[in-house]
Amino acid sequence: EICFDAAIKSLKNYSELKSQRGLLDFVDQEAFLIEALDNANVKTRFQELFQVLMVDEFQDTNLAQYELVRQLASFNKNIFVVGDPDQSIYAWRGADWRNVHRFEEDFPDAQIVLLEQNYRSHQNILDAAMGVINRARNRLAELMKFDADDDLGDARLDEADPVADQATERPHPRSQPRRSQRLERVLR
């Protein structure tokens, strides 16, 4: 009980300090954007700005993040998400693997591509893992397979090295972070 009281006091002090200094943390930013999207003009500006959305590790989004993505993509429906509900590891911070299923319901015309070829483990490991995973409820049926001709050697690394070298030589001019500047412009 002492620890709980100390945690409550710390959170209260944290909230007061943010308020006094006019600061927003990540959770505040999510809530602020969701609220801002209630304004039709703001929503339209964001939808025009972000005409194509791509979200990686979708299984680790929380409900607020899902709502942001859903609202931003609701007009153009030009969205690409990558995720595996079996690999959700951030429930402790609010991630909800069920967002993958929500996405399927909210975007019924989305094409689902199952990546069933595994390049990391041999078939006996995959069979054991799938034996456990397939017992989970509410999941897409999936089959993982290993190419017996693939020795998991260095061939793929050798193939990827030139691409990685080229990508690190000269970053694309638009790869610099500009999100805060864009957000500022949209909200004015």
Side-chain angles (χ1 to χ4, degrees), residues 50-61:
F50 301 109
Q51 294 179 14
V52 178
L53 296 176
M54 192 280 187
V55 182
D56 194 10
E57 301 296 348
F58 195 71
Q59 75 277 359
D60 289 325
T61 56

Side-chain angles (χ1 to χ4, degrees), residues 65-78:
Q65 293 163 342
Y66 179 78
E67 183 60 19
L68 284 172
V69 167
R70 189 189 67 74
Q71 286 195 43
L72 290 174
S74 65
F75 180 73
N76 293 317
K77 296 196 178 11
N78 208 354

Side-chain angles (χ1 to χ4, degrees), residues 17-72:
L17 184 64
K18 286 190 307 181
S19 180
Q20 291 168 1
R21 295 188 180 177
L23 301 174
L24 297 174
D25 63 15
F26 191 70
V27 173
D28 297 330
Q29 291 174 30
E30 291 171 343
F32 177 76
L33 282 172
I34 290 170
E35 188 175 322
L37 290 174
D38 286 341
N39 177 307
N41 292 331
V42 172
K43 186 173 185 175
T44 299
R45 296 269 317 267
F46 269 98
Q47 288 174 335
E48 289 170 356
L49 184 62
F50 301 109
Q51 294 179 14
V52 178
L53 296 176
M54 192 280 187
V55 182
D56 194 10
E57 301 296 348
F58 195 71
Q59 75 277 359
D60 289 325
T61 56
N62 62 37
L63 286 173
Q65 293 163 342
Y66 179 78
E67 183 60 19
L68 284 172
V69 167
R70 189 189 67 74
Q71 286 195 43
L72 290 174

